[in-house]
């Protein structure tokens, strides 16, 4: 008897589509208000997920989705970091 392991799904804040957690990038806002990329998915704080797609990151930047979701100011360098992270994969 094989056991099907449940795959955790997360919703992309830019597109609204549900995807497996491993296909997403987590951006987290700490209690101090610092916004950073969370590659492990385990940092404490308010998290938001984005699909690993350059177009999705640019859409989130254009619509200011991350700032609204995390209720914090998002630095321009964070988007550059996200794009370079996606392009490496």
């Amino acid at each position: 008897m094989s056991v099907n392991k449940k795959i955790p799904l997360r919703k992309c804040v830019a597109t609204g589509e549900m995807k497996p957690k491993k296909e997403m990038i987590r951006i987290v806002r700490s209690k101090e208000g610092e916004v950073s990329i969370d590659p492990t998915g385990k940092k404490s704080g308010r998290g938001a997920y984005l699909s690993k797609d350059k177009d999705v990151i640019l859409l989130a930047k254009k619509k200011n989705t991350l700032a609204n979701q995390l209720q914090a100011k998002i630095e321009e360098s964070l988007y550059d970091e996200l794009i370079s992270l996606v392009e490496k994969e």
Side-chain angles (χ1 to χ4, degrees), residues 8 10 21-22 25-28 36-47 49:
R10 296 292 180 263
K21 191 176 173 182
K22 288 184 184 315
I25 303 171
R26 184 171 187 250
I27 294 91
V28 69
S36 61
I37 299 169
D38 180 11
T40 61
K42 289 178 170 56
K43 281 187 186 175
S44 64
R46 178 84 175 105
Y49 288 86

Side-chain angles (χ1 to χ4, degrees), residues 10-68:
R10 296 292 180 263
K11 190 178 202 172
C12 175
V13 293
T15 62
E17 61 184 326
M18 297 292 281
K19 286 188 173 180
K21 191 176 173 182
K22 288 184 184 315
E23 292 176 22
M24 309 284 267
I25 303 171
R26 184 171 187 250
I27 294 91
V28 69
R29 184 199 74 215
S30 65
K31 284 189 173 100
E32 294 78 42
E34 274 181 46
V35 178
S36 61
I37 299 169
D38 180 11
T40 61
K42 289 178 170 56
K43 281 187 186 175
S44 64
R46 178 84 175 105
Y49 288 86
L50 277 177
S51 297
K52 288 183 181 176
D53 184 359
K54 187 178 178 181
D55 296 333
V56 172
I57 294 166
L58 294 173
L59 178 72
K61 182 178 180 179
K62 183 180 165 191
K63 288 184 173 180
N64 208 18
T65 315
L66 280 178
N68 295 336

